[in-house]
Amino acid sequence: MTRSARASWCSAVLVCVGSPIVRRAVLPGPAAALRSSAVSNSSGPRLGPVLSIGVTALVFALVHFEALQFLGLAGFGVVLGVLAWRTGRLGPSIVAHMTFNTVTIIAIVVSR
């Protein structure tokens, strides 16, 4: 495998697996607000699920720095937020994010 191919595989793994996990670490405020809304016995402020999901989705879209894709990313952020709220866990939304990124990378590779 060439050096370029190894770098491409490494980048793909980082985008597909690392990015969703790192984003969870980078967005602790909105994620914590979402968690405190989803888990009834948690302490801290309760923003309510609609506001928590909305704020988290907007921050999710903003951290991608993609103006043309902002609305789509915000919509996907809402889907991830609702998934986290309905399950009461962040794991399923992280897996959904990983899956989305993986499908995107595969689509890019196949289209070339």
Side-chain angles (χ1 to χ4, degrees), residues 4 9 13 18 20 25 30 35 38 40-42 51 60 63-64 67 71 76 78 83 87 95-96 100 106 109:
S4 176
W9 276 106
V13 169
R35 225 179 17 260
S40 60
N41 62 357
S42 65
L51 185 58
F60 177 81
V63 299
H64 280 86
L71 290 177
F76 186 58
V78 169
L83 184 60
T87 63
V95 171
F100 181 83
I106 291 170
V109 169

Side-chain angles (χ1 to χ4, degrees), residues 8 34 48:
S8 295
L34 179 61

Side-chain angles (χ1 to χ4, degrees), residues 13-27:
V13 169
L14 286 174
V15 166
C16 295
V17 178
S19 176
I21 294 170
V22 169
R23 290 241 164 73
R24 164 57 189 100
V26 170
L27 300 174

Side-chain angles (χ1 to χ4, degrees), residues 19 23-24 26-27 30 52-81 97 100-101:
S19 176
R23 290 241 164 73
R24 164 57 189 100
V26 170
L27 300 174
S52 296
I53 291 169
V55 168
T56 303
L58 290 175
V59 172
F60 177 81
L62 286 171
V63 299
H64 280 86
F65 301 108
E66 295 286 343
L68 292 175
Q69 299 173 2
F70 182 83
L71 290 177
L73 289 166
F76 186 58
V78 169
V79 169
L80 296 176
H97 191 178
F100 181 83
N101 288 355

